[in-house]
Amino acid sequence: MEEKWINHYSSRHQMLLVGEGDFSFAASLATAFGNASNIVATSLDSQVMLLRKYPTEAANVCLLKDKGCTVIHGIDATTMSQHPSLMHLKFDRIVFNYPHAGFTRNEQDSYQISLHKEVVRGFLRNGREMLTRRGEIHVTHKTSYPFTEWGIEELGREVGLVLTEKAAFSISDYPGYENKRGGEGSSCRSSDTFPARLSTTF
């Protein structure tokens, strides 16, 4: 089968996508590749919860399954390496776009930031155990305040990872991808998008 690429990702990479919302990022990759048998796409929420949050989720998951993707719900990024469906698998690319601990306090609040950092730290620690020999972990994150306070690079160093590249992220590179807030805030819904400008993939 001919190798196909979309930005950093190849149809020959064994890929794990973490923290999918409406699965539109996974669907974008699957459409570009023409086949998704190399992709495992996961969400923290159950399928029932996702259907309540995202009107587009069902169609995206249907597309993914038609293209051979493995879709798993209820995967916690901070413990995923011990999940029975994942613990024996290795991946060339493990991707978490816009990790978030949920809305507890204002984004500038130090406690809220500490919660976000714990999610990212746990994800990186688990992801490291699930990589192939030349595998990479990708975290896409905003690089404006207060998100710079998360210290993504330092969190990677803490768990023994080495930063190889920082690439500007453009959502237009992934046709059909719509980032989602994922949780209810005082003035937003789970299905709302948010500005993806000033974002970097580490």
Side-chain angles (χ1 to χ4, degrees):
M1 185 181 297
E2 179 187 0
E3 183 177 19
K4 297 180 180 179
W5 285 82
I6 176 169
N7 210 351
H8 300 285
Y9 308 116
S10 162
S11 57
R12 293 183 183 171
H13 287 148
Q14 293 301 310
M15 296 186 63
L16 172 64
L17 308 182
V18 178
E20 287 285 286
D22 69 346
F23 287 87
S24 60
F25 184 74
S28 179
L29 296 182
T31 300
F33 295 156
N35 183 290
S37 58
N38 63 314
I39 299 173
V40 177
T42 71
S43 68
L44 174 61
D45 288 325
S46 68
Q47 185 174 19
V48 171
M49 182 62 70
L50 289 176
L51 288 171
R52 290 178 186 163
K53 287 183 174 183
Y54 310 117
T56 52
E57 188 266 351
N60 287 332
V61 168
C62 184
L63 179 151
L64 288 169
K65 290 184 175 179
D66 283 347
K67 292 187 178 295
C69 180
T70 299
V71 176
I72 310 175
H73 302 290
I75 299 295
D76 185 334
T78 66
T79 58
M80 62 186 183
S81 64
Q82 301 305 309
H83 192 280
S85 297
L86 298 175
M87 61 191 303
H88 300 299
L89 302 179
K90 298 291 183 181
F91 298 94
D92 303 306
R93 298 290 183 271
I94 300 177
V95 182
F96 200 167
N97 291 326
Y98 300 106
H100 202 275
F103 293 95
T104 303
R105 300 183 184 178
N106 186 285
E107 291 287 15
Q108 288 86 0
D109 184 90
S110 60
Y111 177 70
Q112 181 70 60
I113 291 171
S114 71
L115 294 178
H116 293 319
K117 291 174 71 170
E118 281 305 305
V119 169
V120 176
R121 185 183 290 110
F123 162 69
L124 295 174
R125 184 180 292 116
N126 276 258
R128 184 184 176 201
E129 302 302 315
M130 304 169 73
L131 290 174
T132 59
R133 191 167 63 88
R134 299 196 176 201
E136 298 177 1
I137 296 174
H138 292 187
V139 177
T140 296
H141 185 55
K142 290 184 180 183
T143 49
S144 57
Y145 180 83
F147 306 100
T148 48
E149 299 300 302
W150 296 23
I152 300 293
E153 293 180 52
E154 176 59 29
L155 294 175
R157 285 193 291 270
E158 282 182 22
V159 301
L161 294 170
V162 176
L163 180 67
T164 58
E165 183 181 359
K166 291 195 293 187
F169 179 83
S170 175
I171 198 167
S172 63
D173 290 341
Y174 303 95
Y177 174 40
E178 292 188 340
N179 51 7
K180 301 295 184 182
R181 290 190 179 276
E184 302 291 338
S186 58
S187 61
C188 67
R189 299 168 302 174
S190 298
S191 58
D192 289 344
T193 61
F194 56 86
R197 60 185 178 274
L198 298 178
S199 295
T200 294
T201 299
F202 295 86

